[in-house]
Amino acid sequence: MQSLIIIGVIILTGFIFGEIVSKLRLPKVIGYILAGVLLNPQICHFMPKNLNEHTGLATNIALSFITFSIGGTIFYPKLKELGKSILCITVFEAEFAFLALIVGLAAVIPIFVHIPNATFLATFLPMALLIGCLGAPTDPSIAMAIKLQYNPKGEVSSTMLSVAAFDDVLGIMNYSVAVVIAQILVMHQSFSAYSSFVHPVLIIAGSFLLGTIFGIVFNVVTKFIDKETEGVFIVVILGLLTLCFGIAGVIGVDELLSIMTMGIVVVNFNEKREGIFKVLERYIDELVFVLFFTLSGMQLDFSVLSKSYMLIIFFAIFRTIGKFSGAATGAFVAKSSSAVKKYTGGGLIPLGGIVIGLALMIKQNPAFSSMSDIIISVIVGSTIIHELIGPIFVKLCLRKAGEINDD
């Protein structure tokens, strides 16, 4: 089947299922994943088994758009306005979740995962790193939906929304570092100062440099555009994002970190920033999520998923511990109110969005072929659980904080 037909079927089916599930008052993401399960090659036999060969390009372009948008949230005046409390809570909750997952999963993965010729350093630790880095981000759409429905007023709800919107940045940084280290471990590279320290630093520095260059080019190009229509912005954004992503892959730096840096440069130094990012919000976001979540359901290996349920349970436990303890610690360091210390962590439970894209990126990397199916199964299974229980946690914490009531 032609790649364009496959992508068209994926987008339309995901959209339809998302709308159906939305009518049942459930998150659209559940519908997208169910659509993916229905289209899974193990069930829908007209779908090719080598999905990555047909959908890899569309996935990378969509992921470029959302990563660019995430970079666009790092607007310096906005960061100053958010203040010390938001920044502290974001850093601590994201990194505590990352560390809790690495340590916890490194201990339990060898018990529940059986891979031929697997070793701790070359298999189980890299797997813990890759799954752990995907636990840092929070899906802000759940907190936003609760806000729209109940209109909470207070510092806990505003803190939840700000932190959930901001920690995707740390998630991408964690992912970039984790992939470099995991690849070194998987490829059995002997320890050396260069491979262990210098090489990762060079990759990250190169990513920042490439993204900065493309951000400057973007700003120069848009400065001389007289016709500031939305269509023109989309053309320029698409052209430079795909070029930046492609060059990053060729020279061996991190594609997502480069794209995010480009977004940071654009939002801070481009006078047309508001129009540029409004275009993405208006036209691109829903398409990105339909693609990511529907594809994630299609990538599921049901035989692997049936064996991964214990990892999904432990993922939820370790991530929740990290989120609650990190948010409380960050609030303590920033000397926030007792309500923020107690209840902010509950609003950071939802999982989704960028993590699906990152998991699909791991699937495309041949170095992780022995573990990528397990990683996707854990992340997709965890996403379903967290998207279902997330609204309950958010609403409960806001009610305990006295910012919403049953009326």
Side-chain angles (χ1 to χ4, degrees):
M1 186 183 294
Q2 292 186 2
S3 298
L4 287 178
I5 296 177
I6 293 171
I7 293 172
V9 170
I10 290 170
I11 292 173
L12 287 175
T13 307
F15 173 76
I16 292 170
F17 271 68
E19 292 299 311
I20 293 173
V21 166
S22 179
K23 299 294 184 183
L24 302 175
R25 298 177 181 264
L26 291 171
K28 284 186 176 182
V29 60
I30 304 299
Y32 301 154
I33 292 175
L34 289 175
V37 171
L38 178 67
L39 294 174
N40 192 293
Q42 297 176 43
I43 295 176
C44 192
H45 296 297
F46 67 81
M47 282 290 173
K49 294 183 179 180
N50 54 342
L51 272 175
N52 284 331
E53 295 180 13
H54 295 272
T55 61
L57 178 62
T59 300
N60 290 342
I61 291 175
L63 189 55
S64 297
F65 274 110
I66 195 170
T67 308
F68 181 73
S69 297
I70 290 171
T73 63
I74 311 300
F75 186 41
Y76 181 69
K78 183 180 178 182
L79 294 184
K80 286 181 65 178
E81 184 182 319
L82 289 175
K84 179 182 176 183
S85 177
I86 301 297
L87 294 178
C88 278
I89 293 172
T90 301
V91 171
F92 278 96
E93 60 87 13
E95 299 312 307
F96 272 38
F98 183 30
L99 292 173
L101 283 164
I102 293 173
V103 174
L105 291 175
V108 302
I109 285 177
I111 300 173
F112 297 104
V113 174
H114 303 286
I115 298 176
N117 303 317
T119 64
F120 180 80
L121 284 178
T123 307
F124 300 131
L125 182 57
M127 195 184 300
L129 278 168
L130 294 172
I131 297 176
C133 73
L134 301 180
T138 302
D139 181 6
S141 62
I142 298 296
M144 182 61 72
I146 295 294
K147 178 178 174 61
L148 291 174
Q149 184 173 355
Y150 295 101
N151 193 27
K153 299 185 184 299
E155 58 182 345
V156 174
S157 57
S158 62
T159 300
M160 281 181 182
L161 283 169
S162 298
V163 172
F166 188 54
D167 67 0
D168 278 353
V169 176
L170 288 174
I172 291 177
M173 291 182 176
N174 289 338
Y175 168 84
S176 302
V177 173
V179 165
V180 172
I181 296 174
Q183 193 157 319
I184 290 172
L185 294 172
V186 169
M187 301 302 288
H188 302 287
Q189 295 180 3
S190 58
F191 178 83
S192 69
Y194 178 80
S195 63
S196 301
F197 302 108
V198 178
H199 184 58
V201 170
L202 288 177
I203 289 177
I204 293 170
S207 304
F208 283 127
L209 178 61
L210 182 66
T212 300
I213 292 171
F214 268 88
I216 293 171
V217 170
F218 186 101
N219 292 343
V220 171
V221 170
T222 53
K223 184 177 182 179
F224 292 102
I225 293 177
D226 296 325
K227 194 177 181 181
E228 300 177 19
T229 64
E230 294 177 333
V232 170
F233 280 143
I234 291 176
V235 170
V236 175
I237 294 169
L238 175 61
L240 289 175
L241 285 185
T242 52
L243 193 58
C244 181
F245 193 102
I247 291 176
V250 169
I251 66 176
V253 298
D254 189 84
E255 296 94 339
L256 299 186
L257 200 54
S258 300
I259 295 289
M260 189 179 74
T261 303
M262 180 180 167
I264 294 172
V265 173
V266 170
V267 78
N268 283 281
F269 300 103
N270 195 312
E271 295 178 355
K272 301 171 183 177
R273 66 180 70 90
E274 187 172 343
I276 291 167
F277 288 99
K278 282 285 186 184
V279 166
L280 298 182
E281 183 180 338
R282 188 175 299 133
Y283 299 112
I284 302 300
D285 284 358
E286 185 159 6
L287 173 61
V288 166
F289 289 121
V290 170
L291 264 176
F292 281 165
F293 285 104
T294 308
L295 277 172
S296 68
M298 296 177 70
Q299 298 280 0
L300 277 177
D301 185 325
F302 298 121
S303 63
V304 174
L305 181 62
S306 65
K307 300 174 184 177
S308 302
Y309 67 94
M310 288 303 299
L311 290 185
I312 294 172
I313 293 172
F314 279 112
F315 179 94
I317 293 171
F318 296 140
R319 183 175 182 269
T320 301
I321 291 172
K323 289 287 183 180
F324 272 95
S325 60
T329 304
F332 175 79
V333 171
K335 298 180 180 178
S336 303
S337 68
S338 59
V340 170
K341 292 177 187 175
K342 290 180 182 178
Y343 303 121
T344 299
L348 307 177
I349 297 302
L351 177 74
I354 189 66
V355 300
I356 295 294
L358 299 180
L360 294 178
M361 286 283 289
I362 291 172
K363 175 78 172 177
Q364 294 178 21
N365 192 327
F368 306 129
S369 59
S370 65
M371 61 186 75
S372 59
D373 285 338
I374 297 173
I375 293 171
I376 285 189
S377 296
V378 171
I379 294 303
V380 172
S382 298
T383 297
I384 294 172
I385 292 172
H386 285 82
E387 290 291 283
L388 289 172
I389 68 173
I392 300 172
F393 271 93
V394 176
K395 183 178 176 183
L396 180 63
C397 289
L398 289 176
R399 181 186 291 130
K400 285 182 173 293
E403 297 185 12
I404 62 173
N405 55 52
D406 290 327
D407 294 334

